[in-house]
Amino acid sequence: MWYNIQAQFVANTIPTLGENIMNDIKSIVAKNIAELRQSNNMTQLELAEKINYSDKAVSKWERGESVPDLYVLKQLADFYGVTIDSLIGEPCSAP
């Protein structure tokens, strides 16, 4: 009986942990992109034009509604002279 309770707990907890981790990553990436953009005195539109994306996409990234895919993270890292690790890690300081 205790096995069923443990299995139920694990089944209910693991998706929550995954969601929490993803939300944490979204929040960190959002803060880092916004900080780098602002420290370079750029608008969302200016950044979007530099990497050929829409300002709406940049806005979603900075609000933590979505996360750029790996290709875009690489573009952002190269543009700002940082590593991808620093974009997804805490906190990112402008170079």
Side-chain angles (χ1 to χ4, degrees):
M1 178 146 185
W2 66 269
Y3 175 76
N4 289 338
I5 293 170
Q6 280 185 322
Q8 182 74 23
F9 173 77
V10 169
N12 291 336
T13 303
I14 290 178
T16 303
L17 291 174
E19 290 171 14
N20 289 342
I21 291 169
M22 190 60 191
N23 287 336
D24 289 348
I25 290 170
K26 283 181 180 179
S27 176
I28 292 165
V29 171
K31 288 176 188 174
N32 288 340
I33 291 173
E35 180 181 316
L36 286 167
R37 179 184 59 77
Q38 292 166 357
S39 69
N40 283 275
N41 297 317
M42 296 180 76
T43 65
Q44 289 178 341
L45 180 59
E46 289 170 333
L47 173 58
E49 288 173 347
K50 293 284 186 187
I51 61 170
N52 296 316
Y53 267 77
S54 72
D55 57 328
K56 291 180 183 15
V58 173
S59 176
K60 283 184 175 183
W61 301 335
E62 290 186 3
R63 290 192 320 261
E65 290 182 11
S66 65
V67 177
D69 65 27
L70 187 56
Y71 175 76
V72 178
L73 286 172
K74 175 70 171 133
Q75 282 184 296
L76 290 166
D78 289 347
F79 180 75
Y80 286 121
V82 299
T83 64
I84 292 174
D85 285 346
S86 69
L87 284 176
I88 62 174
E90 286 190 64
C92 188
S93 297

